[in-house]
Amino acid sequence: MEREEKERYILDMEISDREKQERYEAMKKIRDEVINLKESPLYISRVKPVIGEGSHFSKIIFIGEAPGKNEAETGRPFCGAAGKVLDELLESAGIKRDEIYITNIVKDRPPNNRDPLPEEIKLYAPFLDRQVEIIRPEVIATLGRYSMVYIMERYGLSEMVEPISKARGKIYETSMPYGIVKIVPLYHPAVAVYNRTMIKILKEDFKVLRELI
Ligand code: URA
């Protein structure tokens, strides 16, 4: 390697290491803030908060609703029955789980797996917004109606919100400070836990992602 080229290479390495460190620190700050979120109504029943998992440099971020029992026990998103379906869907689309980032809108488990309440979404969503800002994904895949509605409203697509049965697998575009981002609403993987025949539809929808990343 020529000296100049070598220096450039070293500089690039340094920049990317610095970037890695910055993203790591920003995510750690979010983790610490969620851990200390004692004003949350979900704090009293918390086992572990579930912040998110995966690559801070992922081109795609998957957003679910809220942790379930297994997730709250382990602190990892989508590690229970719905997570198994998600793994199957990712595999069918040729997407590696460790190359993506997975999180939820609400970071603590609602009791008895009830749906998240509007005030809970309001309280936790700013953490999700920051995770999106840190990762700067090209694609946001929403899992289920709650994250679809939140993300579409958050990024200026309120008027295009429709029932998830119509929106699933469609590609919506929004403009972020760093560029165009594609939003792809998907059914929540849990639908295939309750109705196995849905797996075919989910796999079809997941194929769309493969073409985008
Ligand atoms: N359902 C979700 O929405 N998120 C999880 O992490 C697990 C189940």
Side-chain angles (χ1 to χ4, degrees):
M1 214 184 271
E2 295 294 323
R3 187 157 166 260
E4 213 176 298
E5 201 188 333
K6 198 168 176 182
E7 278 170 7
R8 175 78 248 155
Y9 177 75
I10 291 169
L11 195 65
D12 283 351
M13 287 290 293
E14 280 170 2
I15 290 167
S16 84
D17 279 352
R18 196 170 57 218
E19 181 82 350
K20 271 187 211 157
Q21 188 65 19
E22 275 172 12
R23 292 193 187 196
Y24 171 79
E25 295 294 343
M27 282 292 188
K28 189 173 173 297
K29 194 160 182 294
I30 292 174
R31 167 175 296 277
D32 293 345
E33 287 176 36
V34 173
I35 287 171
N36 288 309
L37 197 68
K38 301 198 173 110
E39 69 268 31
S40 169
L42 303 177
Y43 182 83
I44 331 152
S45 55
R46 172 188 285 173
V47 183
K48 281 185 185 169
V50 180
I51 315 293
E53 180 179 87
S55 166
H56 298 165
F57 290 82
S58 177
K59 283 188 182 169
I60 179 163
I61 174 165
F62 286 83
I63 304 172
E65 290 174 8
K69 190 168 182 289
N70 289 289
E71 288 76 20
E73 276 164 9
T74 57
R76 297 185 54 223
F78 285 95
C79 65
K84 278 215 180 85
V85 175
L86 179 61
D87 289 347
E88 186 181 346
L89 294 168
L90 292 172
E91 200 186 325
S92 76
I95 299 170
K96 292 202 177 83
R97 183 163 168 148
D98 59 359
E99 287 175 2
I100 60 171
Y101 194 81
I102 307 176
T103 187
N104 289 298
I105 316 179
V106 170
K107 314 295 189 198
D108 280 304
R109 181 188 180 216
N112 305 317
N113 290 348
R114 65 156 168 74
D115 290 338
L117 300 174
E119 56 269 29
E120 290 161 358
I121 293 179
K122 200 164 168 225
L123 182 66
Y124 287 91
F127 298 111
L128 172 65
D129 295 348
R130 282 162 60 192
Q131 288 174 310
V132 171
E133 277 163 32
I134 294 165
I135 295 174
R136 295 195 232 139
E138 290 170 21
V139 181
I140 300 178
T142 59
L143 302 171
R145 185 167 54 94
Y146 284 90
S147 56
M148 173 189 80
V149 172
Y150 176 74
I151 288 293
M152 288 186 74
E153 288 182 350
R154 175 70 184 79
Y155 296 108
L157 300 169
S158 304
E159 282 167 19
M160 297 174 94
V161 172
E162 46 184 353
I164 192 157
S165 54
K166 289 225 170 80
R168 63 168 184 89
K170 284 191 192 167
I171 302 167
Y172 299 84
E173 287 197 352
T174 190
S175 181
M176 301 268 202
Y178 59 89
I180 298 293
V181 174
K182 296 187 168 69
I183 295 170
V184 184
L186 298 162
Y187 276 134
H188 194 287
V191 300
V193 175
Y194 304 116
N195 178 1
R196 187 64 198 168
T197 61
M198 288 295 287
I199 195 82
K200 202 164 161 261
I201 294 173
L202 280 157
K203 281 186 181 169
E204 273 305 304
D205 294 346
F206 266 65
K207 265 195 214 155
V208 171
L209 303 176
R210 185 65 280 170
E211 286 146 29
L212 297 180
I213 54 169

Tab-separated table of all heavy atoms in Angstrom, residues 8-62:
chain	number	residue	atom	x	y	z
A	8	ARG	N	-4.714	7.316	4.508
A	8	ARG	CA	-6.156	7.501	4.255
A	8	ARG	C	-6.936	6.345	4.900
A	8	ARG	O	-7.950	6.539	5.556
A	8	ARG	CB	-6.343	7.532	2.724
A	8	ARG	CG	-7.706	7.604	2.149
A	8	ARG	CD	-8.317	8.984	2.207
A	8	ARG	NE	-9.415	8.927	3.154
A	8	ARG	CZ	-9.890	9.930	3.823
A	8	ARG	NH1	-9.368	11.108	3.712
A	8	ARG	NH2	-10.892	9.782	4.633
A	9	TYR	N	-6.388	5.131	4.708
A	9	TYR	CA	-7.027	3.935	5.253
A	9	TYR	C	-7.106	4.013	6.776
A	9	TYR	O	-8.154	3.793	7.370
A	9	TYR	CB	-6.215	2.715	4.801
A	9	TYR	CG	-6.716	1.406	5.361
A	9	TYR	CD1	-7.880	0.826	4.858
A	9	TYR	CD2	-6.025	0.754	6.382
A	9	TYR	CE1	-8.352	-0.372	5.372
A	9	TYR	CE2	-6.477	-0.440	6.897
A	9	TYR	CZ	-7.636	-1.000	6.389
A	9	TYR	OH	-8.091	-2.191	6.905
A	10	ILE	N	-5.982	4.425	7.361
A	10	ILE	CA	-5.945	4.544	8.827
A	10	ILE	C	-6.950	5.601	9.296
A	10	ILE	O	-7.701	5.395	10.242
A	10	ILE	CB	-4.507	4.848	9.325
A	10	ILE	CG1	-3.637	3.613	9.100
A	10	ILE	CG2	-4.495	5.252	10.789
A	10	ILE	CD1	-2.157	3.829	9.283
A	11	LEU	N	-7.006	6.719	8.544
A	11	LEU	CA	-7.938	7.789	8.897
A	11	LEU	C	-9.386	7.286	8.828
A	11	LEU	O	-10.189	7.512	9.720
A	11	LEU	CB	-7.732	8.966	7.937
A	11	LEU	CG	-8.356	10.288	8.382
A	11	LEU	CD1	-7.686	10.784	9.651
A	11	LEU	CD2	-8.186	11.335	7.288
A	12	ASP	N	-9.688	6.555	7.732
A	12	ASP	CA	-11.047	6.002	7.577
A	12	ASP	C	-11.387	5.082	8.738
A	12	ASP	O	-12.478	5.119	9.277
A	12	ASP	CB	-11.160	5.196	6.269
A	12	ASP	CG	-11.295	6.114	5.073
A	12	ASP	OD1	-11.476	7.324	5.289
A	12	ASP	OD2	-11.209	5.615	3.945
A	13	MET	N	-10.397	4.261	9.103
A	13	MET	CA	-10.616	3.328	10.214
A	13	MET	C	-10.933	4.101	11.483
A	13	MET	O	-11.828	3.767	12.225
A	13	MET	CB	-9.361	2.484	10.461
A	13	MET	CG	-9.118	1.435	9.421
A	13	MET	SD	-10.343	0.135	9.527
A	13	MET	CE	-9.886	-0.571	11.100
A	14	GLU	N	-10.131	5.199	11.666
A	14	GLU	CA	-10.337	6.005	12.876
A	14	GLU	C	-11.712	6.639	12.877
A	14	GLU	O	-12.413	6.631	13.870
A	14	GLU	CB	-9.265	7.088	12.991
A	14	GLU	CG	-7.965	6.521	13.534
A	14	GLU	CD	-6.828	7.510	13.426
A	14	GLU	OE1	-7.070	8.636	12.970
A	14	GLU	OE2	-5.709	7.122	13.789
A	15	ILE	N	-12.106	7.161	11.712
A	15	ILE	CA	-13.426	7.797	11.642
A	15	ILE	C	-14.499	6.767	11.939
A	15	ILE	O	-15.379	6.977	12.742
A	15	ILE	CB	-13.658	8.462	10.259
A	15	ILE	CG1	-12.766	9.696	10.125
A	15	ILE	CG2	-15.120	8.866	10.092
A	15	ILE	CD1	-12.672	10.258	8.724
A	16	SER	N	-14.373	5.607	11.327
A	16	SER	CA	-15.443	4.640	11.539
A	16	SER	C	-15.425	4.120	12.984
A	16	SER	O	-16.472	3.878	13.547
A	16	SER	CB	-15.404	3.526	10.501
A	16	SER	OG	-14.502	2.555	10.891
A	17	ASP	N	-14.248	4.024	13.575
A	17	ASP	CA	-14.207	3.616	14.987
A	17	ASP	C	-14.846	4.674	15.874
A	17	ASP	O	-15.546	4.362	16.817
A	17	ASP	CB	-12.766	3.359	15.436
A	17	ASP	CG	-12.303	1.983	15.003
A	17	ASP	OD1	-13.146	1.224	14.504
A	17	ASP	OD2	-11.102	1.696	15.143
A	18	ARG	N	-14.568	5.942	15.509
A	18	ARG	CA	-15.150	7.026	16.293
A	18	ARG	C	-16.681	7.010	16.162
A	18	ARG	O	-17.409	7.146	17.128
A	18	ARG	CB	-14.595	8.369	15.820
A	18	ARG	CG	-14.870	9.458	16.841
A	18	ARG	CD	-14.146	10.730	16.551
A	18	ARG	NE	-14.496	11.216	15.231
A	18	ARG	CZ	-13.639	11.793	14.399
A	18	ARG	NH1	-12.397	11.899	14.727
A	18	ARG	NH2	-14.027	12.252	13.235
A	19	GLU	N	-17.113	6.792	14.922
A	19	GLU	CA	-18.557	6.720	14.653
A	19	GLU	C	-19.199	5.576	15.432
A	19	GLU	O	-20.251	5.725	16.032
A	19	GLU	CB	-18.756	6.527	13.135
A	19	GLU	CG	-20.188	6.464	12.697
A	19	GLU	CD	-20.842	7.827	12.523
A	19	GLU	OE1	-20.245	8.846	12.927
A	19	GLU	OE2	-21.954	7.855	12.016
A	20	LYS	N	-18.495	4.449	15.449
A	20	LYS	CA	-18.998	3.280	16.199
A	20	LYS	C	-19.154	3.644	17.671
A	20	LYS	O	-20.151	3.343	18.299
A	20	LYS	CB	-18.000	2.117	16.096
A	20	LYS	CG	-18.224	1.219	14.920
A	20	LYS	CD	-17.286	0.024	15.040
A	20	LYS	CE	-16.900	-0.465	13.672
A	20	LYS	NZ	-15.664	-1.201	13.635
A	21	GLN	N	-18.111	4.290	18.184
A	21	GLN	CA	-18.101	4.671	19.594
A	21	GLN	C	-19.232	5.654	19.896
A	21	GLN	O	-19.946	5.510	20.884
A	21	GLN	CB	-16.728	5.302	19.913
A	21	GLN	CG	-16.483	5.576	21.376
A	21	GLN	CD	-16.409	4.298	22.215
A	21	GLN	OE1	-16.190	3.218	21.681
A	21	GLN	NE2	-16.627	4.428	23.501
A	22	GLU	N	-19.419	6.629	18.974
A	22	GLU	CA	-20.470	7.645	19.186
A	22	GLU	C	-21.852	7.009	19.230
A	22	GLU	O	-22.672	7.330	20.074
A	22	GLU	CB	-20.431	8.684	18.054
A	22	GLU	CG	-19.428	9.771	18.318
A	22	GLU	CD	-19.237	10.706	17.130
A	22	GLU	OE1	-20.048	10.654	16.169
A	22	GLU	OE2	-18.265	11.467	17.167
A	23	ARG	N	-22.071	6.096	18.292
A	23	ARG	CA	-23.389	5.445	18.253
A	23	ARG	C	-23.602	4.574	19.487
A	23	ARG	O	-24.675	4.527	20.062
A	23	ARG	CB	-23.547	4.620	16.966
A	23	ARG	CG	-23.623	5.511	15.745
A	23	ARG	CD	-24.081	4.766	14.526
A	23	ARG	NE	-23.965	5.627	13.356
A	23	ARG	CZ	-24.539	5.425	12.206
A	23	ARG	NH1	-25.296	4.359	12.029
A	23	ARG	NH2	-24.383	6.256	11.198
A	24	TYR	N	-22.530	3.895	19.876
A	24	TYR	CA	-22.605	3.040	21.062
A	24	TYR	C	-22.945	3.882	22.301
A	24	TYR	O	-23.827	3.538	23.083
A	24	TYR	CB	-21.270	2.289	21.247
A	24	TYR	CG	-21.194	1.558	22.554
A	24	TYR	CD1	-21.829	0.325	22.711
A	24	TYR	CD2	-20.534	2.114	23.645
A	24	TYR	CE1	-21.804	-0.329	23.933
A	24	TYR	CE2	-20.500	1.466	24.865
A	24	TYR	CZ	-21.129	0.248	25.006
A	24	TYR	OH	-21.107	-0.393	26.213
A	25	GLU	N	-22.243	5.010	22.433
A	25	GLU	CA	-22.467	5.884	23.602
A	25	GLU	C	-23.889	6.445	23.601
A	25	GLU	O	-24.539	6.509	24.639
A	25	GLU	CB	-21.473	7.069	23.610
A	25	GLU	CG	-20.016	6.693	23.785
A	25	GLU	CD	-19.697	6.088	25.147
A	25	GLU	OE1	-20.505	6.249	26.062
A	25	GLU	OE2	-18.645	5.433	25.265
A	26	ALA	N	-24.365	6.850	22.408
A	26	ALA	CA	-25.721	7.423	22.309
A	26	ALA	C	-26.770	6.375	22.678
A	26	ALA	O	-27.751	6.668	23.363
A	26	ALA	CB	-25.960	7.964	20.904
A	27	MET	N	-26.537	5.140	22.251
A	27	MET	CA	-27.470	4.056	22.593
A	27	MET	C	-27.398	3.740	24.096
A	27	MET	O	-28.402	3.450	24.724
A	27	MET	CB	-27.129	2.780	21.811
A	27	MET	CG	-27.587	2.817	20.387
A	27	MET	SD	-29.407	2.787	20.272
A	27	MET	CE	-29.559	2.581	18.510
A	28	LYS	N	-26.206	3.811	24.636
A	28	LYS	CA	-26.025	3.516	26.058
A	28	LYS	C	-26.762	4.557	26.907
A	28	LYS	O	-27.366	4.242	27.926
A	28	LYS	CB	-24.528	3.497	26.383
A	28	LYS	CG	-24.232	2.986	27.767
A	28	LYS	CD	-22.747	2.812	27.980
A	28	LYS	CE	-22.445	2.476	29.414
A	28	LYS	NZ	-22.832	3.538	30.347
A	29	LYS	N	-26.739	5.799	26.418
A	29	LYS	CA	-27.429	6.889	27.125
A	29	LYS	C	-28.941	6.582	27.157
A	29	LYS	O	-29.595	6.755	28.188
A	29	LYS	CB	-27.144	8.206	26.400
A	29	LYS	CG	-27.507	9.418	27.183
A	29	LYS	CD	-26.762	10.645	26.644
A	29	LYS	CE	-27.094	11.876	27.481
A	29	LYS	NZ	-28.483	12.281	27.362
A	30	ILE	N	-29.451	6.121	26.028
A	30	ILE	CA	-30.879	5.765	25.968
A	30	ILE	C	-31.156	4.651	26.974
A	30	ILE	O	-32.107	4.708	27.751
A	30	ILE	CB	-31.277	5.336	24.530
A	30	ILE	CG1	-31.211	6.532	23.592
A	30	ILE	CG2	-32.670	4.692	24.514
A	30	ILE	CD1	-31.449	6.219	22.129
A	31	ARG	N	-30.300	3.635	26.961
A	31	ARG	CA	-30.470	2.513	27.901
A	31	ARG	C	-30.526	3.015	29.348
A	31	ARG	O	-31.430	2.674	30.104
A	31	ARG	CB	-29.316	1.517	27.721
A	31	ARG	CG	-29.193	0.468	28.824
A	31	ARG	CD	-28.122	-0.551	28.510
A	31	ARG	NE	-28.467	-1.310	27.326
A	31	ARG	CZ	-29.270	-2.376	27.315
A	31	ARG	NH1	-29.771	-2.822	28.455
A	31	ARG	NH2	-29.559	-2.994	26.207
A	32	ASP	N	-29.558	3.866	29.693
A	32	ASP	CA	-29.498	4.370	31.073
A	32	ASP	C	-30.752	5.164	31.423
A	32	ASP	O	-31.290	5.045	32.518
A	32	ASP	CB	-28.248	5.244	31.266
A	32	ASP	CG	-26.978	4.418	31.166
A	32	ASP	OD1	-27.065	3.173	31.232
A	32	ASP	OD2	-25.890	5.006	30.995
A	33	GLU	N	-31.223	5.962	30.461
A	33	GLU	CA	-32.422	6.775	30.731
A	33	GLU	C	-33.654	5.888	30.900
A	33	GLU	O	-34.481	6.131	31.777
A	33	GLU	CB	-32.649	7.786	29.599
A	33	GLU	CG	-31.653	8.930	29.637
A	33	GLU	CD	-31.824	9.880	28.462
A	33	GLU	OE1	-32.960	10.120	28.023
A	33	GLU	OE2	-30.793	10.377	27.962
A	34	VAL	N	-33.764	4.851	30.077
A	34	VAL	CA	-34.927	3.950	30.203
A	34	VAL	C	-34.845	3.209	31.545
A	34	VAL	O	-35.841	3.083	32.256
A	34	VAL	CB	-35.021	2.950	29.017
A	34	VAL	CG1	-36.125	1.931	29.262
A	34	VAL	CG2	-35.286	3.679	27.703
A	35	ILE	N	-33.654	2.757	31.897
A	35	ILE	CA	-33.493	2.053	33.182
A	35	ILE	C	-33.968	2.940	34.341
A	35	ILE	O	-34.578	2.466	35.283
A	35	ILE	CB	-32.019	1.603	33.369
A	35	ILE	CG1	-31.733	0.427	32.437
A	35	ILE	CG2	-31.708	1.225	34.829
A	35	ILE	CD1	-30.292	-0.012	32.338
A	36	ASN	N	-33.747	4.234	34.211
A	36	ASN	CA	-34.133	5.161	35.293
A	36	ASN	C	-35.517	5.773	35.121
A	36	ASN	O	-35.852	6.731	35.809
A	36	ASN	CB	-33.096	6.277	35.394
A	36	ASN	CG	-31.808	5.732	35.983
A	36	ASN	OD1	-31.833	5.086	37.027
A	36	ASN	ND2	-30.712	5.933	35.296
A	37	LEU	N	-36.318	5.232	34.219
A	37	LEU	CA	-37.630	5.820	33.926
A	37	LEU	C	-38.656	5.405	34.991
A	37	LEU	O	-39.636	4.713	34.699
A	37	LEU	CB	-38.084	5.382	32.521
A	37	LEU	CG	-39.205	6.200	31.872
A	37	LEU	CD1	-38.727	7.607	31.530
A	37	LEU	CD2	-39.703	5.512	30.606
A	38	LYS	N	-38.420	5.870	36.184
A	38	LYS	CA	-39.255	5.426	37.306
A	38	LYS	C	-40.669	5.984	37.234
A	38	LYS	O	-41.581	5.456	37.862
A	38	LYS	CB	-38.600	5.819	38.632
A	38	LYS	CG	-37.213	5.195	38.747
A	38	LYS	CD	-36.683	5.169	40.165
A	38	LYS	CE	-35.400	4.376	40.189
A	38	LYS	NZ	-34.194	5.126	40.426
A	39	GLU	N	-40.861	7.056	36.453
A	39	GLU	CA	-42.210	7.633	36.358
A	39	GLU	C	-43.105	6.823	35.425
A	39	GLU	O	-44.304	7.079	35.327
A	39	GLU	CB	-42.164	9.102	35.911
A	39	GLU	CG	-41.739	9.339	34.477
A	39	GLU	CD	-40.242	9.578	34.311
A	39	GLU	OE1	-39.457	9.011	35.111
A	39	GLU	OE2	-39.872	10.317	33.386
A	40	SER	N	-42.544	5.813	34.758
A	40	SER	CA	-43.384	5.001	33.874
A	40	SER	C	-44.358	4.147	34.687
A	40	SER	O	-43.967	3.517	35.668
A	40	SER	CB	-42.507	4.073	33.029
A	40	SER	OG	-43.341	3.132	32.376
A	41	PRO	N	-45.626	4.092	34.229
A	41	PRO	CA	-46.570	3.213	34.931
A	41	PRO	C	-46.180	1.734	34.802
A	41	PRO	O	-46.660	0.897	35.566
A	41	PRO	CB	-47.905	3.488	34.222
A	41	PRO	CG	-47.561	4.153	32.930
A	41	PRO	CD	-46.234	4.830	33.118
A	42	LEU	N	-45.293	1.425	33.848
A	42	LEU	CA	-44.874	0.031	33.653
A	42	LEU	C	-43.630	-0.318	34.474
A	42	LEU	O	-43.174	-1.460	34.466
A	42	LEU	CB	-44.605	-0.229	32.160
A	42	LEU	CG	-45.778	0.056	31.214
A	42	LEU	CD1	-45.373	-0.155	29.763
A	42	LEU	CD2	-46.972	-0.833	31.558
A	43	TYR	N	-43.110	0.684	35.184
A	43	TYR	CA	-41.871	0.478	35.946
A	43	TYR	C	-42.079	-0.483	37.122
A	43	TYR	O	-41.237	-1.329	37.398
A	43	TYR	CB	-41.345	1.824	36.447
A	43	TYR	CG	-40.056	1.722	37.207
A	43	TYR	CD1	-38.838	1.659	36.546
A	43	TYR	CD2	-40.053	1.666	38.605
A	43	TYR	CE1	-37.650	1.558	37.245
A	43	TYR	CE2	-38.867	1.564	39.307
A	43	TYR	CZ	-37.671	1.508	38.626
A	43	TYR	OH	-36.492	1.401	39.318
A	44	ILE	N	-43.243	-0.382	37.778
A	44	ILE	CA	-43.502	-1.180	38.996
A	44	ILE	C	-43.466	-2.681	38.683
A	44	ILE	O	-42.974	-3.467	39.469
A	44	ILE	CB	-44.918	-0.903	39.605
A	44	ILE	CG1	-45.361	0.521	39.290
A	44	ILE	CG2	-44.993	-1.257	41.084
A	44	ILE	CD1	-46.868	0.659	39.221
A	45	SER	N	-43.985	-3.051	37.519
A	45	SER	CA	-44.042	-4.480	37.186
A	45	SER	C	-42.854	-4.928	36.329
A	45	SER	O	-42.806	-6.056	35.849
A	45	SER	CB	-45.362	-4.786	36.467
A	45	SER	OG	-45.484	-3.943	35.345
A	46	ARG	N	-41.888	-4.021	36.148
A	46	ARG	CA	-40.743	-4.340	35.278
A	46	ARG	C	-39.905	-5.488	35.817
A	46	ARG	O	-39.630	-5.550	37.013
A	46	ARG	CB	-39.861	-3.100	35.164
A	46	ARG	CG	-38.539	-3.374	34.454
A	46	ARG	CD	-37.602	-2.198	34.517
A	46	ARG	NE	-37.964	-1.126	33.625
A	46	ARG	CZ	-37.338	0.068	33.626
A	46	ARG	NH1	-36.357	0.305	34.465
A	46	ARG	NH2	-37.710	0.992	32.777
A	47	VAL	N	-39.527	-6.405	34.920
A	47	VAL	CA	-38.485	-7.373	35.249
A	47	VAL	C	-37.194	-6.813	34.638
A	47	VAL	O	-36.288	-6.404	35.340
A	47	VAL	CB	-38.814	-8.795	34.721
A	47	VAL	CG1	-37.737	-9.781	35.140
A	47	VAL	CG2	-40.180	-9.239	35.218
A	48	LYS	N	-37.197	-6.751	33.288
A	48	LYS	CA	-36.083	-6.071	32.600
A	48	LYS	C	-36.669	-5.205	31.497
A	48	LYS	O	-37.600	-5.654	30.807
A	48	LYS	CB	-35.150	-7.095	31.936
A	48	LYS	CG	-34.196	-7.752	32.865
A	48	LYS	CD	-33.256	-8.653	32.095
A	48	LYS	CE	-32.371	-9.413	33.072
A	48	LYS	NZ	-31.632	-10.479	32.419
A	49	PRO	N	-36.128	-4.017	31.274
A	49	PRO	CA	-36.576	-3.252	30.114
A	49	PRO	C	-35.960	-3.861	28.848
A	49	PRO	O	-34.916	-4.511	28.928
A	49	PRO	CB	-36.015	-1.851	30.366
A	49	PRO	CG	-34.810	-2.069	31.203
A	49	PRO	CD	-35.059	-3.319	32.009
A	50	VAL	N	-36.598	-3.667	27.736
A	50	VAL	CA	-36.074	-4.196	26.471
A	50	VAL	C	-35.785	-2.996	25.573
A	50	VAL	O	-36.699	-2.356	25.055
A	50	VAL	CB	-37.089	-5.158	25.809
A	50	VAL	CG1	-36.538	-5.702	24.498
A	50	VAL	CG2	-37.439	-6.292	26.765
A	51	ILE	N	-34.516	-2.689	25.421
A	51	ILE	CA	-34.148	-1.457	24.722
A	51	ILE	C	-34.098	-1.669	23.209
A	51	ILE	O	-34.604	-0.871	22.432
A	51	ILE	CB	-32.766	-0.932	25.202
A	51	ILE	CG1	-32.660	-0.982	26.735
A	51	ILE	CG2	-32.482	0.459	24.645
A	51	ILE	CD1	-33.555	-0.058	27.504
A	52	GLY	N	-33.461	-2.752	22.803
A	52	GLY	CA	-33.279	-3.007	21.371
A	52	GLY	C	-32.026	-3.830	21.200
A	52	GLY	O	-31.222	-3.945	22.134
A	53	GLU	N	-31.859	-4.385	20.022
A	53	GLU	CA	-30.741	-5.311	19.819
A	53	GLU	C	-30.324	-5.292	18.355
A	53	GLU	O	-31.184	-5.235	17.476
A	53	GLU	CB	-31.246	-6.710	20.194
A	53	GLU	CG	-30.258	-7.823	20.071
A	53	GLU	CD	-30.885	-9.143	20.497
A	53	GLU	OE1	-31.518	-9.807	19.641
A	53	GLU	OE2	-30.764	-9.498	21.677
A	54	GLY	N	-29.035	-5.356	18.124
A	54	GLY	CA	-28.561	-5.511	16.748
A	54	GLY	C	-27.532	-4.474	16.356
A	54	GLY	O	-26.954	-3.794	17.207
A	55	SER	N	-27.330	-4.363	15.052
A	55	SER	CA	-26.292	-3.483	14.529
A	55	SER	C	-26.731	-2.022	14.550
A	55	SER	O	-27.808	-1.689	14.052
A	55	SER	CB	-25.966	-3.891	13.089
A	55	SER	OG	-25.227	-2.867	12.469
A	56	HIS	N	-25.859	-1.167	15.097
A	56	HIS	CA	-26.141	0.272	15.111
A	56	HIS	C	-25.928	0.875	13.727
A	56	HIS	O	-26.126	2.065	13.536
A	56	HIS	CB	-25.229	0.978	16.114
A	56	HIS	CG	-25.429	0.516	17.522
A	56	HIS	ND1	-24.544	0.782	18.531
A	56	HIS	CD2	-26.431	-0.202	18.093
A	56	HIS	CE1	-24.985	0.247	19.657
A	56	HIS	NE2	-26.120	-0.367	19.407
A	57	PHE	N	-25.472	0.046	12.786
A	57	PHE	CA	-25.238	0.517	11.417
A	57	PHE	C	-26.161	-0.190	10.430
A	57	PHE	O	-25.906	-0.196	9.237
A	57	PHE	CB	-23.762	0.308	11.035
A	57	PHE	CG	-22.858	1.235	11.789
A	57	PHE	CD1	-22.455	0.935	13.080
A	57	PHE	CD2	-22.462	2.435	11.229
A	57	PHE	CE1	-21.647	1.809	13.800
A	57	PHE	CE2	-21.658	3.315	11.939
A	57	PHE	CZ	-21.250	3.003	13.234
A	58	SER	N	-27.221	-0.766	10.950
A	58	SER	CA	-28.125	-1.517	10.085
A	58	SER	C	-28.823	-0.602	9.078
A	58	SER	O	-29.157	0.533	9.395
A	58	SER	CB	-29.179	-2.215	10.953
A	58	SER	OG	-30.094	-2.890	10.133
A	59	LYS	N	-29.047	-1.138	7.883
A	59	LYS	CA	-29.789	-0.362	6.877
A	59	LYS	C	-31.275	-0.407	7.174
A	59	LYS	O	-32.051	0.351	6.633
A	59	LYS	CB	-29.568	-0.991	5.495
A	59	LYS	CG	-28.252	-0.680	4.881
A	59	LYS	CD	-28.267	-1.183	3.461
A	59	LYS	CE	-26.937	-0.934	2.804
A	59	LYS	NZ	-26.853	-1.648	1.545
A	60	ILE	N	-31.650	-1.394	8.025
A	60	ILE	CA	-33.073	-1.578	8.284
A	60	ILE	C	-33.325	-1.717	9.781
A	60	ILE	O	-32.554	-2.355	10.485
A	60	ILE	CB	-33.597	-2.811	7.488
A	60	ILE	CG1	-35.079	-3.045	7.745
A	60	ILE	CG2	-32.826	-4.065	7.771
A	60	ILE	CD1	-35.733	-3.948	6.715
A	61	ILE	N	-34.391	-1.089	10.237
A	61	ILE	CA	-34.749	-1.219	11.648
A	61	ILE	C	-36.172	-1.783	11.720
A	61	ILE	O	-37.057	-1.340	10.997
A	61	ILE	CB	-34.565	0.131	12.383
A	61	ILE	CG1	-35.059	0.113	13.807
A	61	ILE	CG2	-35.158	1.303	11.714
A	61	ILE	CD1	-34.543	1.313	14.613
A	62	PHE	N	-36.337	-2.798	12.535
A	62	PHE	CA	-37.650	-3.427	12.742
A	62	PHE	C	-38.221	-2.912	14.058
A	62	PHE	O	-37.529	-2.918	15.077
A	62	PHE	CB	-37.511	-4.948	12.821
A	62	PHE	CG	-37.255	-5.595	11.492
A	62	PHE	CD1	-35.969	-5.659	10.974
A	62	PHE	CD2	-38.294	-6.135	10.741
A	62	PHE	CE1	-35.730	-6.240	9.738
A	62	PHE	CE2	-38.061	-6.717	9.511
A	62	PHE	CZ	-36.777	-6.771	9.007
